[in-house]
């Protein structure tokens, strides 16, 4: 069941209706993408302002493959000036899922007393409309307002509907060249332009209005009007000149359109490349920030270590002058048991390394048997491994103690 909003123009009810249906979320949301919903709203409001007879609705549309989906539509009538009288052609404009990037579906919606004209250059027997405006749809310049104006223009040149009762009367009465039918204003039935039994009232030259659109057929060519016996030759010449000028302008528009599409594709490609480079620059900038923070932390640690060394130098600078000649082995005193244990482990490790080197020389010179060499190397390697494992544990404990000391000094400096 379709849900409609009544009232002409962009009244508050219409604005509220469009805002509600386009802002819905979840399973009941319309299938349009978020980046075009505002443009769809503007297209519908512009259409309603100029054509109040068309009103927005939501209804279920069934595709040819059987899929059903809830879409927006503009339902109502399009005015059609014909032989000095304005008729109202009932139409339905469906906004498909890919609108406005793709054209909408337009259907002529005849009432019970109307029949679709067959054949018609722009309307098939099912009522689907095909005009150059839909075939040459260009996003984002094309819109519903221009579409409605083109529908009115093309329908005026060749009405798509005519009255069912009028057709029966014409079939029963037969051709009558003297019959003159003048349709009443406001009547929704349209007399077919191909009925030879109806004599159209001639329009005075002063009331002739040139068509506002240069497109006369789906191929885009201009079909010149044949002058009647009452046309003034000057008027005919002017009309042909205007048609020729319109044809030239149309060719220029097509060329400009192709050029613009090519430039737009180039700009889109450049935009995509720039966005990719922007993402790469952002990632590089973040990596540089992380590296900067790491370097600042290392700098703080180096500065704190330098402060500790300077303090130690100031404390021990006077001792060198008092002691005179100092034994190198006795110059450094171990400050804690961990340091003493670390020194012992390192000493044993280096001594075992020297012994193994000497054993290698002895084997090469043939002084020691090879089996005795393997036995001694196995024992020494096991002992060396134990000393190295102990050194690793001591080094980890010293590092933890040093970090705690630096943190304490940093908090002291901060206060």
């Amino acid at each position: 069941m379709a849900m409609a909003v009544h009232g002409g123009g962009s009244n508050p009810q219409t604005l509220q209706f469009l805002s509600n249906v386009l802002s819905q979320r979840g399973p009941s949301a319309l299938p349009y993408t978020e980046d075009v919903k505002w443009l769809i709203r503007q297209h519908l409001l512009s259409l309603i302002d100029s054509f109040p007879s068309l009103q927005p609705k939501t209804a279920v549309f069934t595709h040819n493959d059987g899929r059903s989906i809830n879409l927006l539509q503009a339902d109502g009538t399009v005015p059609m000036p014909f032989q000095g009288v304005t008729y109202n052609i009932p139409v339905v404009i469906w906004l498909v899922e890919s609108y406005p990037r793709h054209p909408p579906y337009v259907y002529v919606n005849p009432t019970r007393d109307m029949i679709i004209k067959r054949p018609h250059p722009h309307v098939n027997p099912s009522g689907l409309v095909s005009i150059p405006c839909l075939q040459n749809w260009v996003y984002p310049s094309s819109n519903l307002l221009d579409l409605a104006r083109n529908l009115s223009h093309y329908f005026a040149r060749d009405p798509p509907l005519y009255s069912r009762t009028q057709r029966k009367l014409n079939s029963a009465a037969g051709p009558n060249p003297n019959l003159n039918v003048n349709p009443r204003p406001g009547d929704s039935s349209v007399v077919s332009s191909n009925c030879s039994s109806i004599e159209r009232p001639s329009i005075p030259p002063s009331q002739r209005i040139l068509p506002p659109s240069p497109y006369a057929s789906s191929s885009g060519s201009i079909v010149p009007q044949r002058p009647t016996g009452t046309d003034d030759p000057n008027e005919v010449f002017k009309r042909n000149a205007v048609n020729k000028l319109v044809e030239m302008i149309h060719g220029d528009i097509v060329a400009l359109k192709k050029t613009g599409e090519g430039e737009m594709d180039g700009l889109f490609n450049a935009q995509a490349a720039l966005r990719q480079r922007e993402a790469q620059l952002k990632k590089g900038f973040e990596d540089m920030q992380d590296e900067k923070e790491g370097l600042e932390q290392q700098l703080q640690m180096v500065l704190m270590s330098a402060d500790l060394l300077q303090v130690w130098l100031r404390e021990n600078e006077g001792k060198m002058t008092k002691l005179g000649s100092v034994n190198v082995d006795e110059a450094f005193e171990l400050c804690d048991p961990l340091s003493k244990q670390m020194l012992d482990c390192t000493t044993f490790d280096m001594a075992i390394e020297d012994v193994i080197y000497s054993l290698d020389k002895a084997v090469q010179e043939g002084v020691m048997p090879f089996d005795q060499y393997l036995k001694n190397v196995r024992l020494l390697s096991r002992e060396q491994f134990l000393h190295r494992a102990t050194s690793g544990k001591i080094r980890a404990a010293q590092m933890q103690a040093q970090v705690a000391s630096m943190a304490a000094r940093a908090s002291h400096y901060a206060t």
Side-chain angles (χ1 to χ4, degrees), residues 5 61-62 68 114 129 139 199 225 236 266 323 377:
V5 173
F61 180 81
T62 303
S68 297
M114 293 182 184
V129 178
Y139 171 80
E199 181 182 355
Q225 299 178 355
V236 173
L323 295 177
V377 168

Side-chain angles (χ1 to χ4, degrees), residues 126-343:
S126 65
L128 181 63
V129 178
S130 175
I131 59 175
C133 179
L134 295 172
Q135 298 170 359
N136 302 324
W137 188 272
V138 177
Y139 171 80
S141 58
S142 300
N143 54 75
L144 296 178
L145 179 57
D146 293 340
L147 172 62
R149 290 172 177 169
N150 277 269
L151 289 174
S152 178
H153 167 70
Y154 284 103
F155 289 168
R157 301 185 66 171
D158 193 354
L161 302 175
Y162 61 90
S163 172
R164 189 187 301 269
T165 57
Q166 185 64 44
R167 182 185 183 186
K168 293 180 180 179
L169 290 174
N170 293 337
S171 301
N176 184 2
N178 297 324
L179 181 60
N180 186 4
V181 178
N182 293 323
R184 293 175 296 173
D187 191 0
S188 60
S189 62
V190 180
V191 182
S192 173
S193 61
N194 290 342
C195 295
S196 59
S197 61
I198 298 176
E199 181 182 355
R200 300 178 182 177
S202 60
I203 304 175
S206 60
Q207 297 180 3
R208 293 194 186 96
I209 302 175
L210 294 176
S213 173
Y215 312 110
S217 65
S218 58
S219 61
S221 60
I222 304 299
V223 180
Q225 299 178 355
R226 296 181 179 179
T228 61
T230 59
D231 285 344
D232 188 359
N234 294 329
E235 292 294 332
V236 173
F237 175 78
K238 291 180 181 178
R239 184 165 59 248
N240 293 336
V242 170
N243 288 339
K244 183 64 176 178
L245 181 60
V246 169
E247 184 178 1
M248 295 173 60
I249 295 174
H250 174 56
D252 294 340
I253 291 175
V254 171
L256 290 174
K257 173 187 170 184
K258 292 182 180 178
T259 304
E261 289 177 351
E263 293 178 354
M264 188 177 297
D265 291 339
L267 292 176
F268 282 150
N269 294 334
Q271 185 182 26
L274 290 175
R275 286 180 177 175
Q276 185 178 4
R277 293 180 183 178
E278 180 185 7
Q280 294 176 355
L281 289 175
K282 285 183 178 179
K283 186 178 183 301
F285 181 74
E286 292 176 356
D287 294 341
M288 292 175 64
Q289 289 286 351
D290 296 339
E291 185 177 358
K292 178 183 177 183
E293 293 177 359
L295 292 175
E296 288 178 351
Q297 293 178 359
Q298 294 181 6
L299 178 62
Q300 292 295 331
M301 295 181 65
V302 171
L303 292 177
M304 293 174 66
S305 300
D307 292 339
L308 292 175
L309 291 175
Q310 289 179 359
V311 171
W312 185 86
L313 288 175
R314 284 196 300 268
E315 292 176 353
N316 296 276
E317 187 175 4
K319 296 181 181 180
M320 296 296 297
T321 57
K322 294 179 182 180
L323 295 177
S325 60
V326 180
N327 186 4
V328 177
D329 295 331
E330 299 176 356
F332 296 93
E333 296 180 358
L334 301 177
C335 60
D336 54 6
L338 289 176
S339 299
K340 185 177 183 303
Q341 190 177 3
M342 185 67 180
L343 180 60

Side-chain angles (χ1 to χ4, degrees), residues 63-114:
H63 290 276
N64 294 332
D65 56 2
R67 292 183 299 109
S68 297
I69 190 168
N70 198 31
L71 298 177
L72 273 171
Q73 64 171 212
D75 187 13
T77 59
V78 173
M80 182 197 72
F82 183 73
Q83 295 186 355
V85 180
T86 300
Y87 298 88
N88 295 318
I89 303 298
V91 296
V92 178
I93 303 175
W94 289 93
L95 276 59
V96 294
E97 301 94 312
S98 57
Y99 182 86
R101 292 183 172 87
H102 293 86
Y105 292 162
V106 182
Y107 286 89
V108 173
N109 190 21
T111 59
R112 293 183 178 180
D113 58 344
M114 293 182 184

